Each structure stands twice: as C-alpha cells, then as structure tokens.
Amino acid sequence: AVVSTQSSFLSVFFFVLQGFEMKLVLLAIILMLGSASSSEDSELVGELKDLLMDSVRNTIALNELVTHQTQQISEIMLSLSATQTKLQKMEQENSSALGNA
C-alpha cells in the first residue's frame, strides 16, 4: 500500500511540475538527501514531503488561475468581436440611409 501511495504521489507530482521548477525541486531533494545522516532521514523525508506537497498545491493553484484568466480573455475577445460586427452593421445602415437621402 505504501508503494502504490508513493507511486501515485510521484506520478501526480511529475505531471504537475514541469520544466525549470521541477529541476529546481529535484536538485534540492538530491542535495538534501545527499547531506542527511541516518538519524535525520525520517525528519528530512517529512520535510521533503511537505515541500513537494506545497509545490504541487501552488502549481495547481497557478494552473487554475491561468485557466480562469484564459476564460476571461476569451469572453472579452468574443464580446469585442460581437461589438465590432454590430458597429460595422450600423455603419453600413447609416451609409445606406445617407446615400438614399
């Protein structure tokens, strides 16, 4: 059960973290593991788990924020497009009305 929990945690962790941030976190883990003595291992593992969970939570929160902002930008662009279409239609109607007068 411990192996499957660790495996699922690691798969989520590697899926969420990408690029530069992941490299920094992994480098920090490697450095901390390399400098730890046997008596400090359990405390270090707890700290690393906390660090990893915080990183995952922050990355998820940032992804949610980006998704929300992308939706807002999409809505604004659709509204702008609709407004431009209405404006063009009004300009055509006005030019037609002025041409007939």
Side-chain angles (χ1 to χ4, degrees):
V2 174
V3 173
S4 66
T5 303
Q6 289 175 346
S7 176
S8 63
F9 172 77
L10 288 176
S11 65
V12 169
F13 173 72
F14 287 117
F15 175 75
V16 172
L17 290 180
Q18 298 173 354
F20 187 70
E21 181 179 341
M22 185 169 131
K23 290 177 186 175
L24 286 177
V25 171
L26 291 176
L27 180 61
I29 292 170
I30 291 169
L31 290 174
M32 291 175 79
L33 287 175
S35 65
S37 67
S38 299
S39 64
E40 298 174 339
D41 284 346
S42 62
E43 182 180 333
L44 179 62
V45 168
E47 290 176 9
L48 289 174
K49 284 183 181 179
D50 291 342
L51 174 66
L52 291 174
M53 288 304 296
D54 287 343
S55 295
V56 169
R57 285 187 196 110
N58 289 336
T59 303
I60 291 171
L62 289 173
N63 285 339
E64 289 173 357
L65 178 62
V66 167
T67 300
H68 180 72
Q69 289 179 339
T70 301
Q71 290 171 346
Q72 286 181 330
I73 290 171
S74 177
E75 291 171 6
I76 290 170
M77 295 300 291
L78 290 172
S79 174
L80 178 62
S81 177
T83 303
Q84 287 176 335
T85 302
K86 287 178 185 178
L87 181 60
Q88 288 174 349
K89 190 183 267 187
M90 288 171 52
E91 287 174 347
Q92 289 173 354
E93 289 173 357
N94 285 340
S95 65
S96 295
L98 290 175
N100 291 335

